[in-house]
Amino acid sequence: MSSPTLIQTILGPKQQVDPGPHELTFRYATATDSVAIESLAQLDSRRAPRGLVLLAEVDGTPWGAVSLDDGHVVADPFRPTGELVALLTERARQMRRTQYGRMHAFPRVWPATG
């Protein structure tokens, strides 16, 4: 077995998704998703996305979320979410461009206060 390179040591262990089919879903977050989004934000040590939020789920479990209002992203750092975040960010960019005038009709997710 070869010894790890400096880059491998810095980046840590390689994260992989279990082999087999997985279902990736992008959907608008609702008020019932606010706890899951807040949990992702705490794991990622960032604030939760606010406003109109696009949620990424893998096999029904939230892995990432992006605000369509300001582009703020959170993702589960304990899962291989790098490529997922890139897809989520690109999809949010596309949606902002094509639905700019219609986005006001969708529900907004606001973090709980108190």
Side-chain angles (χ1 to χ4, degrees):
M1 186 169 174
S2 64
S3 62
T5 66
L6 177 62
I7 297 297
Q8 290 171 330
T9 304
I10 291 171
L11 294 178
K14 190 186 279 188
Q15 295 179 330
Q16 296 181 352
V17 176
D18 295 331
H22 295 280
E23 184 177 310
L24 172 62
T25 305
F26 290 156
R27 65 176 179 84
Y28 291 110
T30 63
T32 58
D33 296 312
S34 60
V35 172
I37 293 170
E38 186 62 38
S39 295
L40 284 174
Q42 288 176 359
L43 286 173
D44 205 8
S45 299
R46 303 185 70 183
R47 72 165 173 83
R50 297 183 182 124
L52 184 58
V53 175
L54 187 63
L55 186 65
E57 294 179 328
V58 176
D59 296 331
T61 303
W63 279 28
V66 61
S67 169
L68 294 177
D69 292 340
D70 64 8
H72 183 75
V73 178
V74 294
D76 187 340
F78 300 107
R79 298 182 189 268
T81 54
E83 292 173 348
L84 176 99
V85 167
L87 281 171
L88 190 59
T89 303
E90 178 60 20
R91 184 64 185 133
R93 186 189 64 78
Q94 292 170 349
M95 292 173 76
R96 276 193 302 268
R97 186 180 334 147
T98 61
Q99 297 182 4
Y100 180 72
R102 296 180 286 176
M103 288 193 324
H104 69 276
F106 291 102
R108 299 306 204 245
V109 176
W110 298 100
T113 59

